[in-house]
Amino acid sequence: MASQKYDVVLLDIEGTTTPISFVHDVLFPYVTNNVKQFIESRWDDPSVQAHVQALAEQAAADIAAGTDGCVAINLDDNTEAVQRQVLENIEWQMRADRKVGALKALQGYMWRFGYERGELQGVMFTDAVDAVRMWSRAGRRVFIYSSGSVEAQKLIFGFSDHGNLIEYVEGHYDTRVGAKVDASSYTAIVRDIGVCPDRVLFVSDSIRELEAADKAGLQTILSVRPGNAPVGEHTFSTSSDFTQIPL
């Protein structure tokens, strides 16, 4: 458990506040099952074109880096060819479970349509919801740091099966601040929040993320949830009920 008092709680989402199964069995299939119709029917929408441009730029960077299996996107080709390349690129990235910003941004954009139409609803562990409310009442500041885009984070909390929880979250961070396995990312977040590292409690299901946060001086707790990947030997405190984390 938390070894000392903390002022800020920094939460992961997948496998921490939200079941991994929701992300992999609901959110990702929503994109794969709808992306072709979504892209083709909204092709002339400036927002969609902005996402296509970002995907093309990411593809160019991947090719330059020699990324295995990357699908190129040539925006000078005819519309049908570009659409095919975009869809193949998205399929390749999702199959590889990539965490790049261009893909995450498009996923978040599509999910917004699903949430607003009532086709999607964010799933939260009840104790995580209760804990977020508890921390808020106790004056603790709650932030989110997830590999999913800020947009996707807000949708899960804003359209959750426990109602709109956005009011309890002061801020959101995604991989634009840095990779979650790099200590420098946590240093940047703490600096942005304006607190000392040892006054921040980071909760995640990933040992590598906890190791990075620990290196940056944060307090850490390993989230233990049904469906989470097995972890080897470690020295981190654990929790499967966040309401039991001492204030």
Side-chain angles (χ1 to χ4, degrees), residues 43 52-53 56 73-82 85:
W43 185 251
V52 169
Q53 179 68 41
I73 300 174
N74 184 359
L75 296 179
D76 293 327
D77 284 349
N78 62 60
T79 297
E80 183 179 347
V82 176
Q85 293 162 17

Side-chain angles (χ1 to χ4, degrees), residues 7 20 26 29 36 44 76 92 102 140 146 203 236:
D7 302 312
I20 286 178
V26 178
K36 186 177 188 297
D44 294 327
D76 293 327
W92 163 68
R140 305 298 189 271
S146 171
V203 187
F236 294 104

Side-chain angles (χ1 to χ4, degrees), residues 172-203:
H172 299 258
Y173 298 92
D174 56 24
T175 52
R176 287 176 296 181
V177 77
K180 296 187 72 180
V181 295
D182 291 344
S184 60
S185 302
Y186 299 88
T187 299
I189 290 172
V190 168
R191 185 184 302 115
D192 187 62
I193 294 173
V195 293
C196 295
D198 63 358
R199 303 297 293 183
V200 179
L201 173 64
F202 177 56
V203 187

Side-chain angles (χ1 to χ4, degrees), residues 164-235:
N164 188 341
L165 304 172
I166 287 293
E167 65 178 293
Y168 300 107
V169 181
E170 186 170 331
H172 299 258
Y173 298 92
D174 56 24
T175 52
R176 287 176 296 181
V177 77
K180 296 187 72 180
V181 295
D182 291 344
S184 60
S185 302
Y186 299 88
T187 299
I189 290 172
V190 168
R191 185 184 302 115
D192 187 62
I193 294 173
V195 293
C196 295
D198 63 358
R199 303 297 293 183
V200 179
L201 173 64
F202 177 56
V203 187
S204 171
D205 66 316
S206 167
I207 293 293
R208 291 185 64 198
E209 292 174 8
L210 294 176
E211 289 172 342
D214 179 69
K215 184 177 180 180
L218 283 66
Q219 299 185 58
T220 55
I221 289 180
L222 175 68
S223 171
V224 179
R225 300 294 196 183
N228 283 8
V231 296
E233 292 187 9
H234 63 86
T235 59

